[in-house]
Amino acid sequence: MTADPTSSVTQTLLQEAWDEFRSFIKRRGDRVTETRRIVLERALQRGGHFQADELARDVSRGSDRVSRGTVYRTLALLVEAGLVREIRDRDTHVHYEPVFNRPHHEHMICETCGAFIEFDDEAIHSLIHDACKRMEFAETSHRLVIFGTCKKCQ
Amino acid sequence: MTADPTSSVTQTLLQEAWDEFRSFIKRRGDRVTETRRIVLERALQRGGHFQADELARDVSRGSDRVSRGTVYRTLALLVEAGLVREIRDRDTHVHYEPVFNRPHHEHMICETCGAFIEFDDEAIHSLIHDACKRMEFAETSHRLVIFGTCKKCQ
DNA sequence: ATTACTGCAAAGCATTTGCAAATGC
DNA sequence: GCATTTGCAAATGCTTTGCAGTAAT
């Protein structure tokens, strides 16, 4: 149901995300800038997961250039806004994943080809919820990663 | 059921761990050294989680001094040997956790005080196993982390 | 005797930061 | 006009590496 192969992010989705980001920025009394719009756009356009440095390199070329430092600063802002989330699983570097308008899901990581496979399981969530209750722990979020070999690589 | 408050690692456990590490080293045709024994010992003595740099600092003082570089190299070896595992959750830096003779468990991380709370849930494992079967994914390991607020901090 | 291991200090590298210039409000 | 943001480049801090000396087999 995606729009077109080159950009998996529809214009409408981008618009909505930008509206949300803008409102977040204003709520904090900060400034809505073109630079921030560009970073958000490029981050969402990457689709799947990406690294800060990767995005920084991408954005440092072309007409809409944004400096490395600013990419890092804006990414942190996007995380605070809840539009992007940090993933720390594999290498030393933080990976990011857009969360805007995406349903909750867990990951399987193929140790052979590196693929991120998304899946979800209501029953697991429910058990996690129970475990928190049992331990008297107030959950804000959780993360489940399964390492192994994907179907293709077996 | 722990031995004494100052070191939660019994002498016997240390001995067993060292035997296992030694056998791993020999199997690879590498060399069994005093330095490696010291790093293993200090790593296990830390109990809970620790960071490489933390251990390096700890070990760089006192009579049994081991250099920073060697700590990192030995830690990598311990991971390969399966005596210690890497945890990448919180900050940019890798955390380590001894796995020798410790039962599998998941973590809850308190976002207020930073505590690592360990818990386990057979039912969750079983569902994870089912999910892998469904997705035709061959699991080698998994990791579940729940973020939130612990009982004390609520 | 060989070959691996260690310590040291230097190099790497993603990320952060300080500061002057640019920009939003 | 004033405060925030940006770009640039330099600094940071953990981690890795090269090399000469040391130790294990």
Side-chain angles (χ1 to χ4, degrees):
Chain A
M1 220 44 87
T2 357
D4 79 89
T6 52
S7 88
S8 59
V9 185
T10 65
Q11 217 49 43
T12 337
L13 195 81
L14 255 177
Q15 190 57 56
E16 281 176 45
W18 174 231
D19 284 348
E20 189 165 323
F21 193 25
R22 192 158 47 184
S23 117
F24 168 83
I25 293 171
K26 280 189 176 156
R27 214 175 312 131
R28 300 187 7 146
D30 287 348
R31 290 182 185 172
V32 176
T33 67
E34 177 62 8
T35 311
R36 286 176 173 163
R37 214 214 75 242
I38 294 169
V39 174
L40 168 66
E41 181 178 301
R42 298 290 191 89
L44 294 189
Q45 280 175 345
R46 302 215 125 241
H49 306 100
F50 62 89
Q51 289 184 46
D53 193 55
E54 216 173 285
L55 181 66
R57 254 192 302 274
D58 169 18
V59 165
S60 68
R61 279 188 292 275
S63 50
D64 299 336
R65 49 178 16 276
V66 177
S67 77
R68 185 166 297 265
T70 301
V71 169
Y72 279 92
R73 284 182 281 227
T74 308
L75 231 25
L77 217 54
L78 282 168
V79 170
E80 275 193 76
L83 286 162
V84 159
R85 77 165 161 151
E86 296 182 338
I87 295 185
R88 307 160 192 276
D89 285 327
R90 339 174 77 186
D91 41 64
T92 318
H93 317 125
V94 186
H95 287 240
Y96 293 89
E97 176 186 62
V99 275
F100 183 71
N101 250 13
R102 303 200 64 219
H104 181 278
H105 59 267
E106 313 296 355
H107 288 121
M108 290 172 176
I109 300 183
C110 177
E111 291 168 328
T112 306
C113 69
F116 272 77
I117 300 159
E118 301 180 355
F119 75 101
D120 199 35
D121 194 320
E122 215 20 83
I124 291 181
H125 292 170
S126 148
L127 285 185
I128 287 173
H129 182 75
D130 292 349
C132 290
K133 218 168 187 173
R134 198 168 60 241
M135 306 284 291
E136 299 182 75
F137 187 84
E139 171 182 5
T140 58
S141 70
H142 68 257
R143 172 142 182 74
L144 169 64
V145 194
I146 306 178
F147 300 93
T149 318
C150 74
K151 188 183 175 184
K152 231 188 280 179
C153 293
Q154 281 169 39
Chain B
M1 220 44 86
T2 357
D4 80 89
T6 52
S7 88
S8 58
V9 185
T10 64
Q11 216 50 43
T12 336
L13 195 81
L14 255 178
Q15 190 57 55
E16 280 175 46
W18 174 231
D19 284 348
E20 188 165 322
F21 192 25
R22 192 157 48 182
S23 116
F24 168 83
I25 292 171
K26 281 191 175 154
R27 214 176 311 131
R28 301 188 6 147
D30 286 348
R31 290 178 186 175
V32 175
T33 68
E34 177 62 7
T35 310
R36 286 176 173 165
R37 214 214 74 243
I38 294 168
V39 175
L40 167 66
E41 181 179 299
R42 298 288 191 92
L44 294 189
Q45 280 175 346
R46 301 215 127 241
H49 307 99
F50 61 90
Q51 289 185 48
D53 193 55
E54 216 173 286
L55 180 65
R57 253 192 301 274
D58 169 18
V59 164
S60 68
R61 279 189 291 276
S63 51
D64 300 335
R65 48 177 19 275
V66 177
S67 76
R68 185 166 294 266
T70 300
V71 169
Y72 279 91
R73 284 182 282 226
T74 308
L75 229 27
L77 217 54
L78 282 167
V79 170
E80 275 194 75
L83 286 161
V84 159
R85 77 165 161 150
E86 296 182 339
I87 294 185
R88 306 162 192 278
D89 286 326
R90 339 172 78 185
D91 43 64
T92 319
H93 316 127
V94 186
H95 287 240
Y96 294 89
E97 175 185 61
V99 275
F100 184 71
N101 249 13
R102 302 201 64 219
H104 181 280
H105 59 267
E106 313 296 356
H107 287 121
M108 289 171 176
I109 300 183
C110 178
E111 291 168 327
T112 305
C113 68
F116 271 78
I117 300 159
E118 302 180 356
F119 75 102
D120 199 34
D121 194 318
E122 216 19 84
I124 291 181
H125 292 170
S126 148
L127 285 185
I128 287 174
H129 182 75
D130 292 348
C132 290
K133 218 168 185 173
R134 197 167 63 241
M135 306 286 288
E136 299 180 75
F137 186 84
E139 171 183 5
T140 58
S141 69
H142 68 257
R143 173 143 183 72
L144 169 64
V145 194
I146 305 177
F147 299 93
T149 317
C150 74
K151 188 182 174 184
K152 228 187 284 177
C153 294
Q154 281 168 40

